[in-house]
């Protein structure tokens, strides 16, 4: 039996519709339009594409988008000055600094200068701490999107065995914390793990965030497992040119799994949708209003 393919594209479009409804409600009830400020330093081509796409989707949802494009020569102090200004600006509810930053700028210092309440990427140390201690946090967008897809598939995740492959601060660790909060039994595998295949053979849920193309083979999976593929890797295509693939070998995995996210069209679209959702959540919280439950976890 071929696995169900989890359609991240249509899920993300439902989230964006919901975001747009809540934005309209905020405008009509309290006259406030949520605003997202995106800061891009330097001219990294991939970052420019991401920032443009984030800006377009923010505006399409009815929110204000404030783009700050700074030259690669910007100093850390200049950047911190801008963050301070955005922290104090009541029309800005979310602040995102596009990573990576140019060499010479300390990313942690910049991220931790963002007001935690406006940290819609969820990377601030306070948000990481609040997530891991079970308090209300801003949750990083990619793991948030993965959890929404898992909740839709299972409803209650409690007692399921989950293996997260990867321990980065932006995906692996927060994903593991979210699954723990859902009462899964969570194992985090990483580059020094010696028994990955054995771990996967008993995993009901696999979240792969490794950054290695087609790394996870279908043979390693427990039959019926749900596979969330976070990886985005560009490889040479057999037909010439290049193509995007995930960290999971989709063809073999979809023959064994119960459900799987494709690449592209799985986790990727959910990430930007969750950024918009976090901005709306931040706006509700800033105005001490009960936040929309479907936009956060
Ligand atoms: P990272 O490089 O920071 O982390 C990779 C992790 O993989 C590390 O923790 C490492 O320990 C682990 N790893 C490496 N080799 C391993 C092995 N042999 N066995 C087990 N674990 C191993 O990467 P990241 O930022 O977490 O991103 C991971 C992937 O997800 C990348 O492909 C990235 O492009 C993608 N990504 C996608 C989205 C999205 O929106 N879809 C968002 C963020 C990242």
């Amino acid at each position: 039996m071929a696995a169900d393919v989890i359609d991240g594209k249509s899920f993300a479009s439902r989230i964006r519709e919901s975001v747009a409804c809540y934005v309209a409600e905020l405008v009509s009830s309290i006259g406030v339009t949520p605003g997202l400020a995106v800061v891009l330093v330097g001219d990294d081509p991939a970052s420019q594409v991401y920032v443009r796409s984030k800006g377009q989707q923010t505006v399409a949802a009815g929110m204000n988008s404030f783009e700050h494009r700074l030259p690669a020569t910007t100093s850390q102090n200049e950047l911190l000055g801008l963050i301070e200004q955005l922290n104090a600006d009541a029309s800005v509810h979310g602040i995102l600094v596009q990573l990576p930053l140019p060499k010479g700028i300390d990313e942690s210092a910049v991220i931790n200068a963002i007001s935690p309440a406006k940290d819609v990427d969820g990377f601030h140390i306070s948000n990481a701490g609040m997530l891991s201690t079970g308090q209300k946090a801003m949750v990083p967008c990619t793991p948030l999107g993965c959890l929404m897809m898992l909740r839709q598939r299972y409803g209650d995740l409690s007692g399921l065995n989950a293996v997260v492959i990867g321990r980065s601060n932006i995906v692996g660790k927060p994903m593991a914390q979210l699954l723990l909060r859902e009462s899964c039994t969570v194992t985090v595998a990483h580059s020094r793990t010696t028994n990955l295949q054995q771990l996967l053979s008993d995993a009901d849920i696999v979240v792969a965030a490794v950054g290695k193309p087609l790394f996870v083979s279908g043979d390693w999976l427990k039959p019926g497992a749900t596979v969330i593929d976070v990886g985005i890797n560009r490889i040479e295509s057999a037909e010439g040119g290049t193509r995007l693939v995930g960290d999971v070998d989709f063809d073999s995995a979809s023959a064994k799994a119960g459900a799987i996210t494709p690449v592209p069209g799985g986790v990727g679209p959910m990430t930007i949708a969750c950024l918009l959702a976090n901005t709306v959540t931040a706006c509700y919280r800033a105005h001490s209003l009960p936040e929309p439950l479907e936009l956060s976890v």
Side-chain angles (χ1 to χ4, degrees):
M1 275 281 281
D4 296 336
V5 176
I6 301 173
D7 184 351
K9 229 169 149 181
S10 65
F11 198 152
S13 121
R14 290 199 299 281
I15 295 173
R16 288 197 304 270
E17 279 165 24
S18 206
V19 162
C21 290
Y22 285 110
V23 170
E25 193 176 294
L26 280 165
V27 173
S28 68
S29 61
I30 57 167
V32 170
T33 304
L36 173 63
V38 177
V39 180
L40 173 63
V41 187
D43 39 25
D44 177 65
S47 295
Q48 287 180 339
V49 173
Y50 291 138
V51 165
R52 195 175 319 124
S53 171
K54 284 167 186 170
Q56 284 165 348
Q57 294 192 35
T58 302
V59 171
M63 297 195 272
N64 290 325
S65 168
F66 308 106
E67 276 184 26
H68 296 267
R69 290 169 185 264
L70 307 178
T73 50
T74 303
S75 71
Q76 182 165 318
N77 276 344
E78 285 169 323
L79 183 53
L80 291 173
L82 173 61
I83 305 277
E84 207 179 301
Q85 214 180 298
L86 297 172
N87 282 341
D89 184 340
S91 67
V92 172
H93 302 93
I95 302 170
L96 179 149
V97 177
Q98 185 66 44
L99 302 178
L101 288 169
K103 282 198 185 78
I105 298 186
D106 176 353
E107 281 187 0
S108 317
V110 172
I111 298 302
N112 290 324
I114 298 172
S115 157
K118 296 188 179 189
D119 168 39
V120 282
D121 250 345
F123 297 161
H124 191 289
I125 193 158
S126 295
N127 281 314
M130 290 202 279
L131 177 61
S132 67
T133 50
Q135 299 174 67
K136 200 184 257 187
M138 293 304 308
V139 177
C141 305
T142 301
L144 174 58
C146 295
L147 184 63
M148 285 181 176
M149 293 194 283
L150 287 167
R151 274 194 178 165
Q152 193 193 41
R153 173 120 191 120
Y154 288 102
D156 181 10
L157 301 180
S158 128
L160 294 172
N161 283 340
V163 174
V164 178
I165 319 176
R167 57 175 163 181
S168 69
N169 290 338
I170 63 168
V171 190
K173 282 185 198 142
M175 187 73 241
Q177 292 296 351
L178 284 172
L179 291 166
L180 261 183
R181 236 174 53 170
E182 299 291 309
S183 298
C184 290
T185 303
V186 182
T187 306
V188 180
H190 49 78
S191 52
R192 303 291 177 93
T193 298
T194 54
N195 59 341
L196 181 61
Q197 294 188 35
Q198 185 192 335
L199 296 173
L200 292 185
S201 67
D202 197 29
D204 304 300
I205 293 170
V206 178
V207 180
V210 193
K212 292 191 171 169
L214 313 174
F215 174 70
V216 175
S217 159
D219 302 343
W220 304 353
L221 300 171
K222 177 176 171 177
T226 298
V227 179
I228 306 290
D229 190 353
V230 180
I232 304 177
N233 311 287
R234 191 166 283 285
I235 60 166
E236 309 255 301
S237 150
E239 298 82 40
T242 60
R243 66 186 178 109
L244 284 185
V245 296
D247 289 341
V248 177
D249 174 21
F250 184 86
D251 293 341
S252 64
S254 56
K256 189 93 172 272
I260 184 166
T261 58
V263 178
V267 175
M270 291 294 284
T271 297
I272 298 190
C274 287
L275 172 68
L276 306 182
N278 274 350
T279 306
V280 170
T281 298
C283 185
Y284 272 84
R285 288 181 188 172
H287 292 276
S288 306
L289 295 167
E291 65 200 60
L293 294 179
E294 71 202 80
L295 298 184
S296 59
V297 288

